[in-house]
Structure formats: structure tokens, C-alpha cells
Amino acid sequence: MSNIDRFIEIFKDKKILILGFGREGKSSYSFLKRLNFGNIDISDGNKIDPPNDFNGELFSGESYQEVINNYDIVLKSPGVKLDKKFHNSQNISSQVDIFLSVFKKQVIGATGTKGKSTTSSMIYHVLSNITGNSILAGNIGVPVFDIIDKIDDKTHIVLELSCHQLQFIKNNPHISIITNIYPEHLDYYENLEAYKQTKFNIYKYQSDEDYIIFPKGFVTEKTESFKIEYDLIKVKRQYLVSNSFENFDMKGNLLSIFGEHNYYNAANCLLAVRVLGYDTKEASKYLNSFKGLEHRLEYVGCYSGIHFVNDSISTIPETSIMAIKSFSGKVDTIILGGMIRDENVDYSELCRTMKDEKVKKIIFLPESGKLIVKYLLQDLFKVDIYNAKNLDDAIYIAFKETRKGKYCLLSPAAASYNTFKNFEERGRIFKELVSSWENRIIL
């Protein structure tokens, strides 16, 4: 049976609803139309323009969820937040869930609050070099239905999986990785425990033929999977990955990207590759050529004698802490702040880190700066504070105040949605402004 035939069997004689018509919803529609399924309806909370060949029913507005129970399969897009009454509905599925039901044995899936993009991209990079037959998809920006034609029996499929993609799945990857869990998306989930449980769905239905990889002391839930719990031990410039599967060393010059935390991502990568049967020494050869991802400790360049780094991905204090430590006291100016998701976020450790690493200047973006200042005052941390009107103003201040030879770090420790579409837009605009600023007059 071909891959396409397997999907035809799943959707055959089913009444199908596409819930949410963004990138993934449009991908689902195109795929189902290609399979010649005509019984497809679309539901979205916003007013949308249906495709030209659409002949089903379209539901939009406030009541767009009320039709869910009328369908055999509901393909929920990740961005759709469902009312609680639908949380146990057995007909709710997704691209990822159905894809895993077909290709599970070939999938390595990575999730976590931070590091999942880098970990999955590292794995893809290494496997592509070793085998030449690897695909990267999922939350990284590629809907999984879009890659089906590229898959054969030997293809390694690497998926970055968000909490939203994991929320309603009933199938799991063969190899699952959890990088970490920090408080985030608490405007979406009822509490941290609900968010954590959604992440744990990545291994919930695994068997004893499957694997779950995670840092020491992290996963405590019962699982049938083979657990690979590892510890990363640093001795001078050498890192020992100690685990229940196979111990191995990583040299301190293994990576060409900033950040000690990236050695955890490298450990995740090498353990996953080892499970697949490849030698860790061979795999390590390719990690140095991995150039990192945009907006993740991305070196923008040296302008007017100041080094600028784009870490717009940092939307929580924990990742900003990692970013500051990555430069060993070289950060003179940091740009912090953004949307307030939770008034109870604790910035005390971030403030201690800035103090220890001798950060001299903090430029606050609207609006979460006022929360961080409270922790600065508690710690009696003397630092120059600037309240920027916007990102353009923040960069003006950075060029004017940052000492030559030092670093200016954009690592906001806050979401971007109050001003930008997402962290990617924030990072792109930061880079554009920095690279063009020398053409302006700095007073």
C-alpha cells in the first residue's frame, strides 16, 4: 500500500471539518482535495475567503466551534483554542496526529519550551549529512501533509512539535525528546501543570519499542518507553554525556554557535542519532558545520564598534539568563521587555544574572519593563535604565550608550505580540534597524 493509499483509508467515508484556516488548514484542504475527498467543511473564528474550488459549508464568527460534534474527523489547526467542553471529544485530531499514525516508526519528535527548534534542526542537519535522506517539518514552519510525497521507507522524519500540536494527539513519535519546560503560554493554558501535561503527550502513547530522551531528573511521569535520561557534565572544555544508553564525550569546540545551553541540544541530537544506529563520533563531525537558527543568539555584526546579537526567541527570563551567560561578562547593554502574559513571572534570577555578569545598561521596551524594575529594586542592583518608546528608539539608545567593543543583546524575556506579529518579526526589524543605523546621525 502506498503512502497516499494509507491516508485515503483513514479519511474514506468520513465527514471532515477543517478547524482553523491558516497555513496548516490550507495545507489540509489542498491535501484532501488531492485525495478527491469532496465532503470537507471549514470553520474559523475569523471571516475568511474560501478557496475557489470550495463547495462545502463555511462556518465563521463566534459560533464556529459549535459544529464540531457533527463530524467524524476534525482537523484542528495548532492556533485554535478549544472550549473545555471539547477537550475529551474523540473526533478531534490534527495533521500531526494522523501523520504519526502512518509514519510513527520513522519519526524523531522534539518538544520543549525552548530548544526544540535547534534540537530538531541539529538532528536534521546531522542525518542529512550521514544519510542524505532526512526531512524536517512541523512547528518549524512546514505542515506535515506537505512532505508526504518526499518520504520513502528509509526517510528519517524530524518533527519540531509545539504544545498546541501535541494537545489532542493519540499517536507518538518513535523517538521523543523533551528539551525543558518553563512557565510559558499561561495565557493559553489553565496553569503550568496543564501546559506541562500537554508537553508530556509526546510520549503518552509510546510502547516499549519507543524511546524518550530528556535531561536528568526531568520526566517523572510513568511511561512504557525506553527512557534515556542524561546528565551533561563539564570538565574544562570537555562535556561528558552520561546516560542510561551510552556515555560519550563532546569537545568544547564541537559547536560553532553561541551558548553553553546548545550542548544540551547537541546531546539530544547525538542520543537520537545513536538510537537510530549511527556512531556518535561520526555524527559529531557534522555538528560544527551547524550554523544555528535565526533569532537564536544570532550574531548580527559589529557596527560603530558595538557587537549586536539578536535573541528575539527569548520570551521568558530563563532563556535571557542563558543568553547573557553565553557572553561571559561582555554584554554591556540588554534590550528587555514586551507583552505581559502573566503578572506573576519571577524576574529575580534574571536580575541576579545581570548583576553577576556586570550588565551596565538595560533598555526597556513597552510594557513588561515595569515588572522587571520591581525586582531590580529588591536586589539593589545599580544599573542605568532607559525606557524606550519602541524598538527604533531602543536601538538609538543602544548605539548612543553601549561601550565600544562590548555587546548589545536583544533578549526580551517577554512575548512580542503587543507590538509585533511574532518574535520573528521583532528579530527581523531589529536586524534591519541595526544594520542601517550607521547611515543615520547619532547625537
Side-chain angles (χ1 to χ4, degrees):
M1 183 182 289
S2 71
N3 289 338
I4 293 298
D5 287 338
R6 293 158 81 183
F7 283 95
I8 289 174
E9 197 64 29
I10 291 171
F11 290 109
K12 184 178 178 182
D13 299 325
K14 299 294 192 300
K15 190 176 181 184
I16 304 163
L17 177 69
I18 295 174
L19 186 61
F21 205 63
R23 175 188 290 175
E24 187 167 303
K26 291 172 183 173
S27 166
S28 297
Y29 180 81
S30 297
F31 180 68
L32 290 169
K33 291 297 283 188
R34 179 184 156 201
L35 299 186
N36 293 317
F37 286 103
N39 194 18
I40 308 165
D41 296 338
I42 297 172
S43 183
D44 193 286
N46 300 311
K47 184 178 180 180
I48 61 169
D49 294 321
N52 292 331
D53 60 351
F54 180 67
N55 55 11
E57 287 195 73
L58 178 63
F59 307 95
S60 62
E62 293 183 2
S63 60
Y64 78 104
Q65 294 187 27
E66 297 306 316
V67 297
I68 285 174
N69 292 332
N70 300 334
Y71 292 86
D72 301 309
I73 297 177
V74 176
L75 288 174
K76 187 188 89 68
S77 296
V80 176
K81 183 178 181 180
L82 283 178
D83 295 340
K84 276 187 180 181
K85 62 183 177 182
F86 296 113
H87 283 193
N88 295 318
S89 299
Q90 292 304 302
N91 61 337
I92 296 175
S93 187
S94 63
Q95 272 204 19
V96 165
D97 189 34
I98 288 173
F99 183 89
L100 286 171
S101 73
V102 174
F103 293 113
K104 165 185 172 165
K105 292 182 180 178
Q106 295 174 247
V107 175
I108 307 104
T111 195
T113 304
K114 299 298 177 184
K116 57 184 178 292
S117 298
T118 300
T119 290
S120 53
S121 297
M122 275 184 178
I123 296 169
Y124 165 71
H125 176 79
V126 169
L127 289 176
S128 294
N129 279 279
I130 292 175
T131 71
N133 191 0
S134 179
I135 297 175
L136 177 63
N139 193 57
I140 203 83
V142 182
V144 293
F145 281 3
D146 291 1
I147 65 171
I148 291 168
D149 289 339
K150 302 175 183 178
I151 299 170
D152 61 38
D153 291 343
K154 296 187 188 239
T155 304
H156 294 301
I157 306 163
V158 186
L159 299 184
E160 180 196 337
L161 298 171
S162 70
C163 53
H164 304 323
Q165 289 171 315
L166 293 170
Q167 191 172 14
F168 291 94
I169 65 169
K170 304 172 190 71
N171 298 280
N172 294 127
H174 172 50
I175 301 171
S176 295
I177 299 166
I178 299 181
T179 59
N180 49 56
I181 295 182
Y182 299 118
E184 195 176 42
H185 297 299
L186 298 185
D187 55 334
Y188 188 99
Y189 292 94
E190 188 176 352
N191 50 45
L192 178 59
E193 186 59 28
Y195 169 63
K196 188 183 296 186
Q197 291 301 321
T198 301
K199 289 291 191 186
F200 288 165
N201 281 345
I202 195 170
Y203 65 81
K204 186 174 181 178
Y205 298 98
Q206 283 189 324
S207 71
D208 56 10
E209 296 178 352
D210 301 318
Y211 297 82
I212 171 70
I213 298 169
F214 56 96
K216 184 178 180 181
F218 185 66
V219 171
T220 57
E221 298 289 307
K222 182 180 177 182
T223 172
E224 300 301 321
S225 323
F226 186 94
K227 295 182 182 181
I228 303 178
E229 181 180 23
Y230 71 88
D231 195 10
L232 190 63
I233 303 168
K234 183 179 180 182
V235 182
K236 295 183 179 178
R237 290 279 295 161
Q238 196 84 358
Y239 296 83
L240 171 66
V241 181
S242 176
N243 61 90
S244 54
F245 187 62
E246 179 187 69
N247 295 340
F248 54 87
D249 292 325
M250 295 190 294
K251 292 182 180 179
N253 60 357
L254 180 72
L255 302 176
S256 61
I257 54 179
F258 292 118
E260 187 173 19
H261 59 278
N262 277 314
Y263 282 90
Y264 281 91
N265 296 327
N268 292 326
C269 169
L270 294 178
L271 284 167
V273 167
R274 183 65 190 90
V275 169
L276 293 171
Y278 301 108
D279 181 68
T280 54
K281 287 186 179 178
E282 181 187 5
S284 295
K285 292 188 301 185
Y286 301 110
L287 280 175
N288 191 257
S289 61
F290 177 73
K291 299 305 180 186
L293 302 178
E294 192 178 15
H295 315 301
R296 295 155 176 85
L297 288 180
E298 177 189 11
Y299 184 66
V300 178
C302 184
Y303 297 89
S304 300
I306 302 164
H307 300 279
F308 286 88
V309 177
N310 166 28
D311 191 45
S312 184
I313 185 68
S314 283
T315 55
I316 57 175
E318 289 82 359
T319 48
S320 294
I321 289 168
M322 294 176 193
I324 295 166
K325 288 182 176 179
S326 297
F327 297 97
S328 303
K330 295 178 182 176
V331 175
D332 188 49
T333 303
I334 186 168
I335 300 174
L336 292 173
M339 174 184 170
I340 298 174
R341 268 179 165 162
D342 182 2
E343 296 275 353
N344 298 314
V345 174
D346 188 343
Y347 293 100
S348 57
E349 187 60 33
L350 173 58
C351 292
R352 279 192 289 272
T353 299
M354 290 191 290
K355 183 178 182 180
D356 293 343
E357 295 291 329
K358 298 180 172 54
V359 175
K360 300 296 184 186
K361 304 165 188 78
I362 302 174
I363 303 172
F364 285 123
L365 296 171
E367 55 197 9
S368 59
K370 61 187 179 184
L371 294 180
I372 304 174
V373 168
K374 177 178 71 174
Y375 289 94
L376 291 173
L377 294 174
Q378 287 175 358
D379 201 32
L380 299 177
F381 176 26
K382 293 183 179 179
V383 62
D384 294 332
I385 294 174
Y386 307 87
N387 290 301
K389 302 172 199 168
N390 49 42
L391 188 55
D392 190 287
D393 189 34
I395 292 167
Y396 167 80
I397 297 168
F399 269 102
K400 188 177 178 184
E401 302 296 338
T402 307
R403 290 178 292 168
K404 300 292 186 283
K406 293 290 187 177
Y407 282 71
C408 172
L409 173 66
L410 171 70
S411 190
S416 59
Y417 304 122
N418 62 326
T419 307
F420 304 97
K421 181 180 177 182
N422 48 39
F423 75 85
E424 290 97 338
E425 183 184 55
R426 177 171 62 188
R428 282 194 297 271
I429 292 175
F430 174 76
K431 292 191 294 181
E432 289 168 6
L433 289 171
V434 166
S435 61
S436 65
W437 204 269
E438 285 184 325
N439 297 325
R440 308 189 193 187
I441 298 174
I442 306 296
L443 299 178

